[in-house]
Amino acid sequence: AQTVTQSQPEMSVQEAETVTLSCTYDTSENNYYLFWYKQPPSRQMILVIRQEAYKQQNATENRFSVNFQKAAKSFSLKISDSQLGDTAMYFCALSRVSYQLTFGKGTKLSVIP
Amino acid sequence: DAGVIQSPRHEVTEMGQEVTLRCKPISGHDYLFWYRQTMMRGLELLIYFNNNVPIDDSGMPEDRFSAKMPNASFSTLKIQPSEPRDSAVYFCASSTGRRDGYTFGSGTRLTVV
């Protein structure tokens, strides 16, 4: 079975500070992809960052970066210089060979002015 | 590109009525997914298509749910008859493959009273 676990239901961070969201997963496959999606109050699902499992280098997109630990099956998201617009639900997701995305339950992030 | 287009954005219907949700994927994307989001169950995959052919419908909750993709630019998700427990946000997403992630529509919030 493929599972994705986000152990932090809610988090908060001061504006301009750095925050890390945790995600662990379980899969028996070797060829998979991991994603972080953002869902602001508008409910639109927005792709933040992606990681290919066979790549050692951690992905980075502007203020967003990941810490991918394949052996530990861990995939955390770091947001630097947090902005008010980062307030949203964040979902970790695993893409299997079958093309299905399995999502975690989400972490609600609040950026405090 | 206009992205994945879903309609309607909101739907309120009475129990027992037929509901049809619509989706136009991004041109050139050959995978289309229907997801349901609820507070209790999070994001669940209902069904997905590849080149207009249903590949996996194991997530469809029961026979009241059906989905079609008559051509590459249009898909529908139909619930007949609808029940209050079907109330949720229904997302459509499209993709060219796992590596590129999935682009989501803005979702349809369905309320069955």
Side-chain angles (χ1 to χ4, degrees):
Chain A
Q2 325 288 332
T3 60
V4 178
T5 303
Q6 294 179 249
S7 58
Q8 306 149 316
E10 291 192 42
M11 294 189 72
S12 61
V13 62
Q14 291 289 137
E15 194 175 7
E17 295 296 309
T18 295
V19 64
T20 298
L21 309 184
S22 301
C23 173
T24 58
Y25 61 93
D26 189 25
T27 179
S28 57
E29 298 175 0
N30 288 317
N31 183 19
Y32 55 89
Y33 297 81
L34 293 159
F35 306 89
W36 279 98
Y37 279 87
K38 168 185 177 181
Q39 187 178 39
S42 67
R43 84 169 180 243
Q44 179 73 47
M45 293 287 287
I46 301 165
L47 178 62
V48 174
I49 199 165
R50 68 172 66 90
Q51 175 77 42
E52 301 175 42
Y54 60 87
K55 285 191 174 178
Q56 299 277 26
Q57 187 173 4
N58 289 324
T60 299
E61 290 285 344
N62 301 314
R63 297 183 295 106
F64 299 87
S65 62
V66 299
N67 183 6
F68 175 47
Q69 301 290 327
K70 189 172 183 179
K73 295 184 177 176
S74 170
F75 183 60
S76 60
L77 174 70
K78 185 171 80 171
I79 306 174
S80 303
D81 185 25
S82 297
Q83 301 175 0
L84 296 179
D86 296 333
T87 292
M89 285 289 291
Y90 286 82
F91 293 93
C92 179
L94 167 69
S95 177
R96 301 178 268 167
V97 172
S98 63
Y99 290 83
Q100 297 179 28
L101 264 184
T102 300
F103 287 89
K105 295 294 186 186
T107 295
K108 183 178 181 180
L109 177 67
S110 298
V111 180
I112 302 167
Chain B
D1 198 322
V4 177
I5 300 172
Q6 289 188 247
S7 64
R9 184 160 174 80
H10 304 277
E11 177 80 32
V12 180
T13 191
E14 292 185 348
M15 182 173 63
Q17 296 298 305
E18 177 178 296
V19 176
T20 300
L21 311 182
R22 297 172 175 79
C23 175
K24 176 180 170 56
I26 292 173
S27 177
H29 283 195
D30 48 10
Y31 287 88
L32 184 139
F33 305 82
W34 282 100
Y35 279 85
R36 179 171 68 176
Q37 184 179 33
T38 61
M39 289 293 292
M40 290 296 293
R41 302 175 67 89
L43 281 151
E44 304 173 279
L45 176 66
L46 300 177
I47 185 171
Y48 79 97
F49 296 82
N50 179 216
N51 292 323
N52 312 337
V53 176
I55 302 301
D56 186 347
D57 65 355
S58 59
M60 297 286 261
E62 46 197 277
D63 292 345
R64 299 184 298 106
F65 286 70
S66 63
K68 294 182 179 180
M69 192 166 185
N71 56 62
S73 60
F74 184 66
S75 178
T76 59
L77 178 67
K78 186 176 293 186
I79 308 172
Q80 166 64 22
S82 58
E83 297 183 3
R85 59 192 168 124
D86 301 331
S87 297
V89 178
Y90 291 81
F91 285 101
C92 175
S94 69
S95 175
T96 56
R98 301 186 301 146
R99 182 174 178 274
D100 298 322
Y102 308 159
T103 303
F104 283 77
S106 56
T108 295
R109 179 176 294 281
L110 173 64
T111 303
V112 183
V113 298

